[in-house]
Amino acid sequence: KLDELLEEDGTLGPATEIALKRVIAWQIERAMAKSRMTKTEMARRMRTSRAALHRLLDPANPSVTLRTMDRAAAVLGKRLRVELVDGKAA
């Protein structure tokens, strides 16, 4: 099983972080496109810089806070949901 191999070599955590970040960045970009919102407008509404928005949308940058993701979701009329799931679930 792939998860077991990644866990054995210590890369499961980082791979999961990157995968989650990519999904969130993709969802935010889709919502922005659907709303026809530019990056400049999105950053303004989030009360942040374009550089911070760029970090949020960069799928390879996992160092974005939940607060930033929540603000982005709110600007887009969405809600951020974070939950814990059983690590043994297939």
Side-chain angles (χ1 to χ4, degrees), residues 4-23:
E4 291 169 358
L5 283 172
L6 293 173
E7 192 168 359
E8 280 179 24
D9 75 1
T11 58
L12 181 61
T16 301
E17 286 175 15
I18 290 170
L20 288 171
K21 177 61 188 314
R22 284 184 179 179
V23 169

Side-chain angles (χ1 to χ4, degrees), residues 31-73:
M32 286 174 61
K34 187 176 181 181
S35 300
R36 298 177 188 230
M37 189 178 305
T38 66
K39 290 179 181 177
T40 300
E41 179 65 11
M42 180 71 173
R44 186 188 68 74
R45 289 185 186 191
M46 287 177 64
R47 296 186 178 129
T48 192
S49 66
R50 278 197 53 158
L53 179 61
H54 178 73
R55 285 190 298 274
L56 173 63
L57 297 176
D58 179 359
N61 184 344
S63 63
V64 175
T65 66
L66 288 173
R67 182 178 181 174
T68 299
M69 289 185 280
D70 188 53
R71 281 198 332 251

Side-chain angles (χ1 to χ4, degrees), residues 1 8 18 27 78 81 89:
K1 191 168 154 179
E8 280 179 24
I18 290 170
Q27 289 176 329
K78 308 278 184 194
R81 183 174 67 191

